[in-house]
Amino acid sequence: MILLLLSLAHAGGFAPDAEDSISKDIVYDDALAPNWYSWSWTGVYDFQAPEQVHSGAFAIYASIDPYGALSIYREGGYSHASALRFWVEGDDPQVNIRLESVTEGVHADEIPLSELGDVRGGEWTEITISLDALPPHTWERIDWVSAGSPGAIIHVDDISLLALDPTADAFRSAEPVAPDRLMLLGQGDADAVSVTLDGAPIAITGVVVEGAPTRTYLALADALGPGELVVDTADGAFTRTLGGGQASVSATPTHAIPGAIYGMNLPDGYPGDGSMTRYSASAARWGGNATALYNPLARATNLGADWYFVNEVLQESADDWLVSVEGFGLTSLVTVPSLDWVARDGGSWHYSVERYGEQQETAPDNRDAGSGVLMDGTLISWNDPEDAAQPWTPADAAAWLAALPNPPDVVAIGNETDIAHLTHRAVHPEPATYDEQLERFLTYAEAARGVLPDAAVTGPVSCCWKTWWDSEAEGDRDAHGGEDFLPWFLDAVAAADAERGESSLDLLDLHYYPEGLIADGLDAITDDETNAWRLRATRSLWDPDYIDESWIGTAAPVNSQPDPHAVQVIPRMKALLAERYPDAGLALTEWSFGAHDHLSGGLAAADALGIFGREGLDMAMIWPTPPLTSPTSSAFQLLRDGEQGFGRWSLPVTGDLDPDLAGVYAASHDDGRVAVLVVNKAPDADLSLDLDGLPSGRVALRHFGGALEARLVQHPEGRFEGALTVPAYSALLAVIQPDEADDSDLPWDTAEDTGGPEWRETGGSTGARCGCASAAPGPLSGLPALTLMFGALMYRRRR
């Protein structure tokens, strides 16, 4: 049997070796089951085809046209299921699997059938897909979608949904999720559970069971602290190590947290289907190599070195993309091509083998489209750009922007012009100098500003640590008095502004990928050593004491800046702006610490988002868009979803925690609630954290990681009394609703308090129950008005 975890997060749900605890819900067995319907489109579909069957008399025959789908729909959905199982036959079909919620208008990421198994003609292959890591939507539809031309033919049979038997005695893990609460995955015999901390027993005072996935919560009579925790159950004993820590939160906010730091790039740099809200993003970027040569008239672009310098037509134009983004209330950033060329059409390519000779590589689907490197290693530099491109001018850019019915909030001038000689060398074969980068920015920024005076303008959209300080053109820095590029650029823009009497730059726009982790291809590596490095590397965003673990920290400096071996991106760049161009903010419109599908990548993303808010970054977009069910997506959902998201005002946090092992961030809401984000980077030690400076009150807790892996869950509400407990390798968000001063004697522990979970009492006090009475704004309310709009942040230029 072939098993795919739809996300690497399994959350302890369906396990193929536990068939005795699994119930089967038949979807198709010679016919669709009751309440299932065919919603297939664009193709020929026979649901009682006798020619090729796995079992029984019939199977489903699907001849799927390009971009069509075999699609089945169930009234009421199938969110109860832990897994989807089916048998499939076809000749290496180019088909993707996709799950949809029609009611909510969302769908999970498409998964190529080829990634699930070796599907062949004449043979039946069993596919099982775990659904445990899916977000809690009302899933109703299953699609087998053709990935494109020429379509596909498949047979599908014996479709079923699998679910854990809710009566099974199956505690699979135990984790502390609050000082007085344990979470056990599964639903076993709670009466058989005993708890000890360093050998001392702790009484269990209440039990509550919640689903998706099934979790059993135990309320404890005594608060947990550092030590060895043992949870003994009928299914075995779970042993945990609780480490200690202390932090203090100031009640005085330092600055507003811009909503635009929770932005994302669209999948693979392309415009997508307008469904960015699935990811809980605040801002969306039309950017990347695919947009650097975008031709809006032909709706065509060229991926350059990313795909054999071949033009292609995009499924969605920038105009349509902006309509979608505005409709979803997201801040929009659009890249303006600035290399003086754009793709001529949707079907040309630059390095024809017939015209320029045999080349080391050619496109798999077009053997005439070469890589531009001859067999002896010579780079083709004599090609004609008009093979696949046409001229583009600032006037063309202005005309395009002026005609957009839904203008963008932010305009980025170009994309990584500093390495265009690598990505788009067919039209830009020589490295861009200091002067060229400045001239392109000023010329196209002026064109954009002239037609979109209210849009923020960003630049120079620089790719890398090295090119922040020097161009790739030989001797260029020496030709500019030995000055590092970014300081020189900011001074030059300021001088041009003074001459013109108008500002050109609103956001210094950089891309940040930790050297070594990303540049050396470790973004997908998830061994223990790399995971630990990934979680340490977030310190490069802020910490002057963190010496970079790549060549930046070991080789000769490439700049003349202070502390050149410590990256400290955000404070370094903010200091540079304060000195050279104080009216501009800072944006990281591409960033990543890699491993989006692994828990280490999700925790690094959560840590980075906390750092962005604390350090006062103005805008950020992660690249690439992480899979919807990945740990990295859970990091965004943790901080963005619903009323329990992170706050709008940053609160300083001090403490004795090792930043390699933990990150703690705090913020306040306008209504007086206080949010605390804790990222526990330790893979094998829970964290018992004492927190000073915070009010007591009702607390809502959410977390992902640990045994949950990518699954984000909301825990039953309880009380906050100055401490949090965070499972190993997880991120937890606590949102505290402070008590009113005159309500300090609210009867939180009495049965009349109905706002919290209904604990089943097992003896002793029910002190963990939450009364959840409505509380007025606490001591952190009444803060000054925002200087920026949040949520759907409209980041407009500073005047």
Side-chain angles (χ1 to χ4, degrees), residues 299-381:
R299 208 179 71 196
T301 194
N302 186 288
L303 283 171
D306 289 346
W307 191 254
Y308 304 96
F309 304 90
V310 174
N311 290 353
E312 60 181 52
V313 175
L314 299 180
Q315 294 183 23
E316 187 177 30
S317 69
D319 309 47
D320 294 337
W321 180 86
L322 282 163
V323 171
S324 298
V325 169
E326 182 175 279
F328 284 116
L330 305 179
T331 297
S332 59
L333 182 151
V334 165
T335 298
V336 174
S338 65
L339 293 178
D340 298 340
W341 296 93
V342 293
R344 187 182 69 202
D345 52 39
S348 302
W349 51 93
H350 278 285
Y351 295 115
S352 166
V353 171
E354 181 178 354
R355 182 170 182 179
Y356 297 110
E358 292 295 321
Q359 297 165 49
Q360 289 185 354
E361 295 182 57
T362 57
D365 56 348
N366 183 351
R367 296 304 180 185
D368 189 56
S371 63
V373 184
L374 297 181
M375 301 302 291
D376 64 0
T378 300
L379 295 179
I380 298 172
S381 59

Side-chain angles (χ1 to χ4, degrees), residues 413-659:
I413 305 304
N415 178 76
E416 297 183 349
T417 302
D418 47 351
I419 58 168
H421 65 293
L422 303 176
T423 55
H424 291 291
R425 56 187 172 81
V427 298
H428 196 285
E430 298 300 324
T433 64
Y434 281 32
D435 295 313
E436 180 187 345
Q437 292 183 67
L438 173 67
E439 181 62 23
R440 290 192 183 280
F441 171 77
L442 290 175
T443 303
Y444 281 91
E446 183 177 15
R449 188 76 91 199
V451 295
L452 297 178
D454 292 330
V457 174
T458 84
V461 199
S462 184
C463 88
C464 323
W465 174 259
K466 184 178 183 298
T467 55
W468 293 354
W469 312 116
D470 192 5
S471 80
E472 294 283 277
E474 185 175 355
D476 199 23
R477 178 159 53 186
D478 290 341
H480 291 83
E483 190 168 7
D484 296 333
F485 172 67
L486 283 180
W488 177 90
F489 173 83
L490 292 172
D491 283 347
V493 173
D497 290 352
E499 185 174 337
R500 282 205 307 250
E502 183 180 20
S503 66
S504 302
L505 181 68
D506 295 296
L507 290 164
L508 176 64
D509 190 339
L510 305 175
H511 294 169
Y512 182 61
Y513 302 94
E515 294 289 338
L517 271 175
I518 303 298
D520 292 346
L522 299 184
D523 55 307
I525 303 301
T526 54
D527 59 73
D528 291 346
E529 182 179 354
T530 305
N531 293 340
W533 180 10
R534 178 173 294 113
L535 289 165
R536 291 192 302 269
T538 58
R539 293 174 60 189
S540 65
L541 291 168
W542 64 275
D543 192 348
D545 295 327
Y546 178 72
I547 302 303
D548 201 82
E549 298 175 60
S550 72
W551 61 267
I552 294 174
T554 58
V558 296
N559 61 43
S560 58
Q561 301 297 305
D563 302 318
H565 296 297
V567 175
Q568 50 178 332
V569 177
I570 300 173
R572 180 185 292 281
M573 293 304 167
K574 290 186 72 174
L576 189 62
L577 284 167
E579 178 185 357
R580 307 289 180 125
Y581 203 99
D583 289 338
L586 177 62
L588 300 179
T589 57
E590 287 185 21
W591 69 273
S592 175
F593 288 85
H596 290 335
D597 278 322
H598 191 268
L599 195 47
S600 66
L603 296 178
D607 200 42
L609 293 174
I611 291 167
F612 293 165
R614 184 191 67 193
E615 297 295 319
L617 187 65
D618 292 287
M619 177 177 283
M621 276 92 164
I622 195 169
W623 180 286
T625 299
L628 181 60
T629 56
S630 68
T632 300
S633 284
S634 294
F636 279 80
Q637 292 159 8
L638 179 70
L639 291 169
R640 287 278 300 166
D641 279 358
E643 293 184 358
Q644 305 302 339
F646 205 50
R648 306 200 324 184
W649 298 92
S650 180
L651 302 176
V653 179
T654 57
D656 61 0
L657 297 170
D658 182 347

Side-chain angles (χ1 to χ4, degrees), residues 11-15 18 20-22 164-174 183-190 193 213-216 233-236 238:
F14 170 75
D20 57 342
S21 65
I22 293 170
L164 286 170
D165 183 348
T167 64
D169 190 358
F171 287 141
R172 298 180 297 281
S173 69
M183 180 191 72
L184 284 71
L185 278 182
Q187 184 177 357
D189 184 0
V193 177
T214 301
R215 310 179 306 282
T216 300
T233 78
D235 306 302
F238 303 98

Side-chain angles (χ1 to χ4, degrees), residues 14-57:
F14 170 75
D17 57 354
E19 299 288 343
D20 57 342
S21 65
I22 293 170
S23 62
K24 182 183 292 186
D25 184 357
I26 300 298
V27 176
Y28 178 89
D29 181 8
D30 284 353
L32 285 174
N35 298 321
W36 282 93
Y37 305 94
S38 174
W39 282 19
S40 307
W41 73 89
T42 319
V44 177
Y45 306 98
D46 183 352
F47 281 75
Q48 290 193 311
E51 297 84 5
Q52 183 77 272
V53 300
H54 173 253
S55 68

Side-chain angles (χ1 to χ4, degrees), residues 219-286:
L220 305 179
D222 301 314
L224 299 172
E228 183 177 79
L229 174 70
V230 178
V231 183
D232 205 350
T233 78
D235 306 302
F238 303 98
T239 302
R240 316 282 302 188
T241 299
L242 276 80
Q246 187 278 330
S248 296
V249 179
S250 170
T252 304
T254 55
H255 58 269
I257 300 176
I261 63 173
Y262 306 107
M264 291 187 178
N265 287 268
L266 288 169
D268 302 321
Y270 288 97
D273 59 4
S275 57
M276 285 296 290
T277 51
R278 294 183 296 149
Y279 297 92
S280 300
S282 61
R285 173 178 179 251
W286 171 285

